[in-house]
Amino acid sequence: MSSPAESDTPSIEAGHVRLILLQDEHSSFHLDIPLEIIESLCLKPLKYLLFLGWCILGVEGVLAYEPNGDGIDTDGNLAEHEIYYFVAPDDAGLACAVDLEVIRGRTHDPSETTGTRDDFCQNLMERDPYCVWTGISKSYSSGMHIIPHRRGSEWLQLIVGNRPKYGENVTTLRDINDIRNGFFAMDMIHRCFDPRSLAILKTPNHILETTDVPPRHHEPNMPSTIRYPSRDRYTLQWLIIPEPGVASMVPNNMDAAFKTSSRKPKPSALLLHYTYGAAAVKQWGHGTDLLKNLTNPPRPSKPVPPLMGSSKTVHDRNIAITKRGRPRRSRGGRGRKATAGDGEASWDEDDVMLFCWGNSPAAKERHRKKVEETTHRMETWREGVSHGSA
């Protein structure tokens, strides 16, 4: 059956399938994913598509053949050129989405971290004395943040606050340098993870079991002082086709192993799901203009401050946003960065993820409670002022 999204968006490239996450009458926000990649990452490819929808939109749903269709059996196989829809409940949509700038403004916590990168690495090494995937020593490895360090603690707090926790205790996860936001990793892995050519799949999760992932790559040189978790997998996966030399150094589907005697907390599943979704959006995403069109409230023009020299910091998003929209390709990969048309202020994959998670039912309920609390405090203050002046 033809739909507006099928007829008005580009045709599917050979060897790909399309997952439509959101659509309107004229466009769609979707992923075009190489079949070869999906089959290398998951033994249940339809469940993998469902997992991607859950990761990116931050809500539960079903996989369907038609918009608003009934859920299909996710134990089947994919076929080239097929189109699938992630269908969420009616009350979980983005029809009344909150603007991205409003989401960013929901927290006023300081962006400074309580530790340093050196502290981060030292704390990590109490849990990860070697690269967790290869066993390579610290001479060739370093601390790797899941949520990039440049985003800062405020961004991390927004992510944590806007996502259902599924039993994970993240009450104290507020610092960008918390070891739950990192791994100790070989330098090559670090260089490929930062541009999101690599992602880390944490299983079991709400959609996938550990057995849905291909068996882990056997690494013969792992030190005897570390071991693989008995119930969980932290699987390193390529979302692109890497160069042969790189693939020989970092094979697909390597599992992380941790220090046997350490009682330090493992990396956060919530943060890993966020970054997996962000990596998928970067490599395979298209049509982010649809997200921007969902919320475009009129704003007063911002006054231009007098020139006082450079004031840019790692947390200044305003400058970065205007520079986005330049297509970036991962070397050796087939994926394409999510685009937002020819507009000057395109979004990157982190903007997309923050927007989607910030508009989930859990996030909207959290925001509603904050508004009510603020309103109650203001009313109490006004009553006190009124009685004092009487």
Side-chain angles (χ1 to χ4, degrees), residues 252-323:
N252 211 3
N253 294 310
M254 303 176 78
D255 281 359
F258 304 93
K259 187 175 181 180
T260 304
S261 59
S262 176
R263 301 179 68 87
K264 293 286 186 178
K266 299 294 191 296
S268 166
L270 184 151
L271 299 183
L272 289 171
H273 299 330
Y274 169 92
T275 53
Y276 204 103
V281 168
K282 178 174 182 179
Q283 299 299 337
W284 307 320
H286 302 268
T288 56
D289 258 350
L290 174 60
L291 303 182
K292 295 173 66 178
N293 293 339
L294 285 170
T295 169
N296 188 24
R299 294 197 197 96
S301 58
K302 295 181 180 179
V304 179
L307 295 177
M308 298 291 289
S310 176
S311 61
K312 183 178 181 181
T313 70
V314 294
H315 307 292
D316 187 350
R317 301 282 297 157
N318 294 328
I319 297 175
I321 290 173
T322 62
K323 294 183 178 180

Side-chain angles (χ1 to χ4, degrees), residues 314-343:
V314 294
H315 307 292
D316 187 350
R317 301 282 297 157
N318 294 328
I319 297 175
I321 290 173
T322 62
K323 294 183 178 180
R324 295 186 186 126
R326 301 170 185 171
R328 290 178 290 174
R329 290 183 179 269
S330 300
R331 188 177 181 183
R334 297 180 179 180
R336 291 175 289 183
K337 185 179 183 294
T339 59
D342 297 326

Side-chain angles (χ1 to χ4, degrees), residues 347-368:
W347 290 1
D348 70 6
E349 66 275 10
D350 284 293
D351 290 325
V352 170
M353 291 296 295
L354 188 64
F355 176 80
C356 291
W357 283 29
N359 280 288
S360 68
K364 289 181 178 179
E365 176 64 15
R366 173 175 171 264
H367 181 51
R368 184 188 64 79

Side-chain angles (χ1 to χ4, degrees), residues 38 43 136 151 271 282 292 297:
I38 298 176
L43 302 175
I136 290 178
R151 296 292 179 183
L271 299 183
K282 178 174 182 179
K292 295 173 66 178

